[in-house]
Amino acid sequence: MTQPDLTFDEILTTTRAVRKRLDISRKVPRALLEECLELAFQAPNGSNKNLWRWIIVDDPDMVAKLGAEYRLAMGILQSGQQTSMFSDTSDSREEAKLLESAYALADKIEQMPALLIPLMPGRAEGKSVVEQAAMWGSIVQAVWSFMLALRSRGLGSCWATVTSRREKEIAALLGIPYEDYTQVGMFPIAYTIGTDFRKAWRKPVAEVLRYNRF
Ligand SMILES: Cc1cc2nc3c(=O)[nH]c(=O)nc-3n(C[C@H](O)[C@H](O)[C@H](O)COP(=O)(O)O)c2cc1C
């Protein structure tokens, strides 16, 4: 079975960063991706301007080229630069598990059935906080909705921003005018191997929530 039978709350709590369990042997139909995007586009966005642009790459040669960029971006990490996405866990075993999973994705990303690159107009560099809040706040919900829609259909993805380290090179490969668009990240897309994903650890609400003042 590829289409899991999940409640809304189950989709919210079990949509994981899928890396090892992406099935690279199975093609993903474009119609299915377009269906997921249709759903994602119902997400809120600033003044409903729909400024986003979306590129899905499913040409195997191009996927391979972008996959190579992904690996190069990971290579930069390997040579010692720490990244915030992997440094926010106090448990080093957890961190090791995460890194192992991250490199497992890098190993096979060149063979993904599809990759998604969402774009927002303008360069993030130099934007004020107000402008940045509007920019990121007009795309993140849609991307997450897309990932939830994938999950409900038996597919998975992984939010990956490491590719921003190779944004210029990726822009050149895809013909994106670098000065005019900022890439949100690169999202591998595939059916998942099995559909049983679990709830993840998060800090408890009581630890991070305050009422009425900081
Ligand atoms: C902004 C952001 C950037 C991320 N970048 C990467 C990345 O470049 N590579 C990667 O393998 N995972 C990346 N992740 C996935 C996170 O590591 C993952 O969401 C986190 O470990 C929690 O796991 P979960 O989503 O399965 O609960 C990113 C996630 C977010 C939200």
Side-chain angles (χ1 to χ4, degrees):
M1 189 188 78
T2 58
Q3 178 108 3
D5 184 18
L6 298 170
T7 64
F8 183 66
D9 284 6
E10 284 168 342
I11 289 174
L12 287 179
T13 51
T14 64
T15 301
R16 297 271 70 81
V18 189
R19 303 183 186 91
K20 290 183 169 177
R21 290 172 59 189
L22 293 171
D23 186 351
I24 54 172
S25 71
R26 213 170 145 194
K27 274 190 182 306
V28 176
R30 284 185 177 182
L32 184 55
L33 296 176
E34 288 172 27
E35 187 180 294
C36 293
L37 280 179
E38 287 268 357
L39 293 167
F41 289 178
Q42 290 298 313
N45 67 99
S47 305
N48 198 20
K49 284 193 178 146
N50 293 228
L51 294 175
W52 50 46
R53 290 288 179 275
W54 304 74
I55 300 182
I56 288 177
V57 177
D58 60 2
D59 170 66
D61 290 342
M62 191 54 87
V63 169
K65 284 182 185 153
L66 292 174
E69 290 300 336
Y70 189 96
R71 287 153 72 106
L72 280 170
M74 291 287 290
I76 296 166
L77 297 180
Q78 260 171 330
S79 70
Q81 281 184 25
Q82 183 59 277
T83 89
S84 56
M85 69 186 171
F86 293 130
S87 61
D88 192 32
T89 158
S90 51
D91 183 341
S92 61
R93 271 177 316 170
E94 277 302 308
E95 193 167 339
K97 244 171 77 181
L98 192 65
L99 273 173
E100 188 211 335
S101 176
Y103 285 107
L105 171 60
D107 276 348
K108 61 182 182 181
I109 196 159
E110 289 172 49
Q111 299 162 68
M112 273 308 136
L115 300 171
L116 169 72
I117 295 103
L119 306 167
M120 283 301 276
R123 294 299 316 163
E125 301 93 332
K127 277 196 199 289
S128 68
V129 171
V130 172
E131 290 167 329
Q132 292 225 17
M135 179 183 133
W136 298 119
S138 292
I139 186 78
V140 167
Q141 305 85 283
V143 177
W144 181 237
S145 289
F146 178 77
M147 290 173 71
L148 297 175
L150 289 179
R151 166 75 174 131
S152 78
R153 285 158 178 74
L155 292 91
S157 184
C158 175
W159 200 296
T161 57
V162 69
T163 48
S164 296
R165 294 165 183 269
R166 304 284 300 172
E167 198 188 354
K168 274 191 184 151
E169 291 80 1
I170 291 166
L173 278 172
L174 295 174
I176 300 166
Y178 175 81
E179 296 303 330
D180 300 334
Y181 283 92
T182 301
Q183 294 164 37
V184 176
M186 187 185 286
F187 298 76
I189 300 168
Y191 282 96
T192 56
I193 300 167
T195 57
D196 55 321
F197 290 90
R198 274 177 287 173
K199 211 171 157 178
W201 173 86
R202 296 292 191 260
K203 282 184 182 170
V205 171
E207 199 180 322
V208 295
L209 173 70
R210 296 292 176 271
Y211 285 103
N212 299 321
R213 60 168 290 142
F214 188 83

